[in-house]
Structure formats: C-alpha cells, structure tokens
Amino acid sequence: MNNPFQPFPVTITNIIDETPTIKTFVLDLNGNQFSFDAGQFIELTIPGVGEAPFTPSSSPYDKNKLEMTIMKVGKVTSALFSLQVGATLGVRGPFGIRYPIELYEGKEIYIIGGGVGLAPLRSLFFALMENVKKYKRIYIRYGARTSQDIVYKQQIPIWKTWKGVDIQQSVDVGDNSWKGKVGVVTILLDDLIGNTKNMVGVVCGPPIMMKFATIKLLEKGFDGNNIYLSMEKNMSCGLGQCGHCRMGKYFVCKDGPVLTWEQVKDIEDPFL
Amino acid sequence: MAILFLPKEKFRNWLLKLSQGFLVYYPTELENKIHYRKLDSNALNDPYFPYDKALKKIRPIESIKGFFFKQKEKVGGLEDKLPVTINLDKTPQIIIGAKNCDLRPLMVHQKMYLENEFGEPFYKAQREKTFIIATDCPIPEQTCFCNLLGLKPFPELGADVVMTVINNGYIFETTSEQGEKLLRDNDHLFQEAGSSDLVERDLQRHKAVAILETINPKHWRSDLIKAINERKDEKFWQEQAKDCVECFGCLMVCPTCFCFLLYDQPTKNNSFHRNKIWDACYYSAYARVGGGMSPRPEFWKRFRNRFHCKFMNFTNDYGFNACSGCGRCFSVCMGKIDIRKVLEKV
C-alpha cells in the first residue's frame, strides 16, 4: 500500500547552531529514495511529538543529505531542539510545487529573505548556482533583526565572492559589532533600478516583512506574476486533503507553498 | 438494469442471506433516535422486528461518513525506526438505508480523497469493501433541505442498489454492477416489479418532493457564490454567529466535512502511532501556524469559513456544494443556528 501518511526514518548527523533560536539539522536519509526541487517542502516528524512542515535549505542537487534550518517557535520545534546527533526523525514528502526556475532564465533575480526565511531561499540559491550563467544576475537581500540573528554567518561571506551574485545585508537594530546597513530589509531595495518589469522577486520571511517587501517590489515596477511568495500556512497533510492550509481557492500545501502575488492579491489578508 | 420487487414476507429471509456473507448495518431506532447498527441475530431471528419503521424515517443521527472516514484511524507511525504495520479490515459490509443526503457527501470525498493525486488508501479500502443499499425519504422533516441543494428526497447517485419501501414490499433498482450482482446472488427471492408498484413509488416520491417544497419554499439566490464572497462585513457574520456556543457539533455531525488532523500518539521510546482524526475549521488552533499566528483568529472569521468552504471554494472547484441538506448541523445546534437562514440572508 502506498501510504501518504507514513514517514520514513532519517537520522540527525549534525546540528549547527546558527543563532540562539535557529539551528541547522543535517539529516542522513538512510538510503531512502528521496529527492526534491527548490520550493517544495517536507513534513518532519519528531517521534511521539508530532509533525510540522519545513522547506529544506540544502541544494536539491545534494542527494546524500538533507539540511533543514529551523527556528524554535512551537511544540514540534522545541522538541526538535532538545534532540542530539543520532536521533531518529521521520520525513514525508516532498510536497507542493517547485520554483519555476526555467522562467527565471536571462533575468535578474532578487532573493529577499527575512530572518530564518533565508533558509528555504538558500535551497533556491544553490539550485540557481548550478547553472548560474543562465541568469542575468542573482541578488540576495537579507535582513535580520540583529547581527546575532543572522543565519549562515560563515557562508554568506563566501557566497559574496561567487560570480554572478550580489549580496547585501541589513539588520533592523544595529550594535557595535555590526558595520553594515541598519534598517528593515526593504531599505536594501530602495536604489533598485532597471527593467524591473522583467525582474524576478522571491520573498520569504515573517508575514509583515513579506507584505512590505511585496509592496516595495510592486512600487518598483515588478510584475505580480514575477513576485514569488512563500506562504506560511498550517500545511498538515501535505496532500491537499486535510483542509488546514486552505487560503481562498488554494490549498497552500498542494498549490504552493510558493504562490505569486498575482495569485494571492485578491485574497483577504494573504500574509496572515 | 431490471427493477425488482421483494414481497414483505421475504425481506427477512433476504437479510438473513445477506448477513451470511457480509456485515450488515441497518438503521435502528434507539431511544427515539435512528442510528446505524450491526444487524444482529436478535433482529434477524425476530419475525416481528419492525424493519420498515426506521427505514421510512429521515437520515439517521450519524451519517455514513464514519464508515469510510473514521473518527479515529491509525494511518502510520514508526516503531523502533521501522514503519508500523497496518492491517486493513477487509470484511465486506453492506449499509442499508442510506439517504440521498448521505450519498452526495460520498461525491465530496471522492473529489477530496479518491481523485487526489496522492490518494487516500484508508478511505479507499473502506469504500471498496462496502455495498450501499440506499432508500427513499418518504416523509421529509422540518430539518430537511436537500431540495435547496438541487437534490431529491430519494437516492440519485452513489448507491449500489436503491430500495424503496412500498405498502406490500420493496422495490429494488440496481445502480451499479456490484449492486446487480448483490441482487442476482439471491434472485430466487425477487420478482419483476409490477407497474402498479412503480406507480406507488412515483406517487410517494412526488409527495416527498412536494413536502420538501412546503418546508423550504424559498430557494437561495442563484448568485450565492458571489454573494458569499462579497459579504465581508464583520457585523453580518458576528450577527449570524452570535448564538454559537462553540461546541462545534455542527461540523462533527456534518456528512461532507472532510478535514482531518494527523495526530501522533507516543507508544514507547521514540515510537508512535499516527492517527487520522476528524477535525473542524471552527477550532482556534485549526489553521494556526508554529509561531502562533492564525489567518482566522476571530471566531466570526472561522464561522464564515464554513460557508466559504462549503458554498464557495468547493463549489468553484468541483461545480457542486459541499452540503447535502441533511440538516444535521442545526439538529444538534444548541444555539439553533439554521444554515438555511444564514444563506438566505447572505
């Protein structure tokens, strides 16, 4: 029986502390057949505690392991944070649709992340880097609350050296250790110019950040069809059956989790 | 397919035959309420058992949904890092006495589960082992409103056999191949229905349709989807929801509601069983995400969601409403909130 509710077991092989409330869990798939495309998500089970949806942050091209960068916010993530290397988790998926990256070819791509929202975008970023020449330029605009809340602290300086990539960061609240820009992430879009109608914006972060980033991109002339938003809904079954993630006419788990502004603009409070 | 007749005196004999090969569920009166119960030897061996009494009434308290989409069902889990084994009970069963308002929900679940790209093997297994012998509703009651949904008070789509109780017996019409076979297995008991039997059935059906039109003379507006979509004001929905005591019985008895929660129960160290249990969009935690945010934090928005789901979103997706007019929702409602009235005002 092909049982869509049954997770397969995976093992935690490494845990990387990103911030005081964010960790990256490296998972060994124990030989299970699994692959995903950037944008798709999985349901991660903490045995005996429950299941919650997360989007992988590793490259979809990396078939040996799965990395999940996760913030401690609720019951499942709190239990996850108490686990050690060697612990068993369950995985179902992948679910949802992928970023249509073939549509991004020849274009300038703005990847806009807020806080832990950079995690799923890293998976997209790695996928784009596999064929970086296909894209005109990849911009990462990343905002965190403070310098302590920045994820991938060791990796971002390396990414900055990669060809075809332009990375800028800001923090909402500055401190002595922070030499960069201070302000919400949208300040990094203030001087965005060019043929914006033809640019792609990919946004993931807290709802309020997503809202204002979308407003900013629209102000700048982005087409609603080119603004890709990661909708955070209670994606419980992942199959489009259980109803929890319904948002207007969409089941976010099946029709998303990434939807374009054009798709969600008529929905009441899409970011809530 | 042939229309058959079974004389009253042979009915018990036929049920006995059926019960030899199947678990038979039958509408049974318990403390003035009708429930589906397993037809046991007491009933089968009692020549005076009132077989028709409950059959002639409207739908039982519980819908047949629970036979397929169980209130709680184990659907997975890990034990010592290995998937748990689930043995599906494949004992064939027959449900007798389902009404049209319990058949329409099967179409809703067909869309949601069986035609879903991932499928729902547990629901499917229960459906595949079940024969449905549906019956007419000769006397609709004040809570019935299938006519407002464009449905008839007798079985239309979704049964294997349609059975109508008439004065001196039962008329059987098979509506699926399995139903045909089910009757053929005992065909020595049946005879061809006579034209007077069919006239009696037609008259009875016309009468039931007329009763429904008297109960619900005012049909909903034809642009109901648009009206629901455009009815955004909080005041209206607050007013409709003001008598709700938030027991959510309406959603628990609803035959079309398809929402479920995957709920993991720890068994021993690092092991758990995953249960699929009924859920309802009225619960505040229903759509809440990890960080505590909810798209519908206020109750009136959750109340409205039921109307969005059943009469707008599902309708837009599949061309029919996710409501069958069974009236269970307001039969159990302590606040006496009548879904018909809400939709009249919208």
Side-chain angles (χ1 to χ4, degrees), chain B residues 8 10 12 61 64 68 77 99 133 194 212 222 264 267 274 291 322 334 339-340:
Chain B
K8 201 143 267 190
K10 290 187 180 169
R12 191 167 67 92
I61 295 291
I64 61 171
F68 315 116
K99 307 294 181 181
I133 301 177
L212 269 170
S222 56
D264 291 355
T267 48
R274 173 158 296 164
M334 285 186 264
I339 192 170
R340 292 175 293 196

Side-chain angles (χ1 to χ4, degrees), chain B residues 79-247:
Chain B
E79 255 168 20
D80 297 327
K81 304 180 186 180
L82 291 171
V84 297
T85 314
I86 299 170
N87 297 314
L88 293 171
D89 179 5
K90 294 193 172 153
T91 317
Q93 62 186 18
I94 297 176
I95 301 169
I96 298 179
K99 307 294 181 181
N100 204 23
C101 59
D102 272 359
L103 298 180
R104 169 54 66 96
L106 299 177
M107 286 170 66
V108 173
H109 300 141
Q110 170 88 21
K111 296 292 176 195
M112 288 311 299
Y113 304 145
L114 300 181
E115 291 178 20
N116 177 282
E117 62 177 300
F118 297 93
E120 208 297 30
F122 300 91
Y123 183 90
K124 186 165 178 256
Q126 298 302 322
R127 282 289 280 127
E128 283 175 349
K129 70 172 201 181
T130 308
F131 291 85
I132 298 174
I133 301 177
T135 52
D136 292 29
C137 263
I139 311 165
E141 294 181 9
Q142 289 300 318
T143 51
C144 299
F145 64 101
C146 61
N147 65 321
L148 300 184
L149 277 310
L151 297 174
K152 298 276 191 275
F154 48 84
E156 292 173 284
L157 289 169
D160 295 298
V161 176
V162 173
M163 176 171 96
T164 309
V165 185
I166 58 170
N167 265 334
N168 56 352
Y170 307 83
I171 296 176
F172 286 84
E173 193 166 359
T174 53
T175 43
S176 77
E177 270 179 44
Q178 296 94 304
E180 182 90 11
K181 188 178 175 305
L182 195 68
L183 295 198
R184 211 185 305 125
D185 288 346
N186 292 296
D187 62 358
H188 59 284
L189 296 171
F190 294 89
Q191 59 200 66
E192 208 162 303
S195 59
S196 64
D197 299 329
L198 296 179
V199 168
E200 191 184 336
R201 181 177 76 167
D202 285 351
L203 279 174
Q204 187 178 290
R205 287 180 169 181
H206 277 120
K207 218 165 127 188
V209 169
I211 294 171
L212 269 170
E213 286 302 319
T214 317
I215 297 169
N216 309 293
K218 197 178 165 196
H219 286 237
W220 297 325
R221 51 198 294 174
S222 56
D223 61 345
L224 191 64
I225 294 180
K226 188 166 169 277
I228 292 173
N229 189 33
E230 288 174 1
R231 192 45 111 160
K232 296 190 192 295
D233 56 307
E234 177 177 346
K235 201 175 151 217
F236 173 81
W237 292 106
Q238 289 275 25
E239 177 63 24
Q240 307 312 312
K242 74 175 183 339
D243 292 329
C244 177
V245 298
E246 302 189 30
C247 73

Side-chain angles (χ1 to χ4, degrees), chain A residues 1-9 45-51 73-74 86 88-90 92 94-95 207 232-234 236-246 248-249 251 254 266 268-269 271-272, chain B residues 75-78 81 83-84 86 88 112-113 116-122 232 258-262 264-266 270-272 274 276 279 285-291 293-296 301 304 313-314 317:
Chain A
M1 178 174 69
N2 186 17
N3 180 357
F5 306 115
Q6 176 63 48
F8 61 82
T45 298
I46 318 303
V49 179
E51 197 181 44
V73 291
T88 300
L89 303 175
R92 287 193 301 130
F95 299 118
E232 189 191 12
K233 296 289 172 236
N234 183 1
S236 173
C237 72
L239 316 167
Q241 295 180 1
C242 79
H244 291 81
C245 66
R246 187 88 187 199
K249 63 179 179 178
F251 285 102
K254 185 165 67 85
D266 294 326
E268 197 178 287
D269 303 325
F271 297 111
L272 256 186
Chain B
V75 295
L78 291 174
K81 304 180 186 180
V84 297
I86 299 170
L88 293 171
M112 288 311 299
Y113 304 145
N116 177 282
E117 62 177 300
F118 297 93
E120 208 297 30
F122 300 91
K232 296 190 192 295
F258 51 78
C259 289
F260 59 82
L261 182 73
L262 295 174
D264 291 355
Q265 271 181 318
N270 296 323
S271 298
F272 67 97
R274 173 158 296 164
K276 181 183 168 209
D279 202 357
Y286 172 85
R288 198 162 63 200
V289 298
M293 297 256 300
S294 166
R296 296 182 288 276
K301 284 190 179 170
R304 183 184 61 171
N313 293 332
F314 190 88
D317 285 351

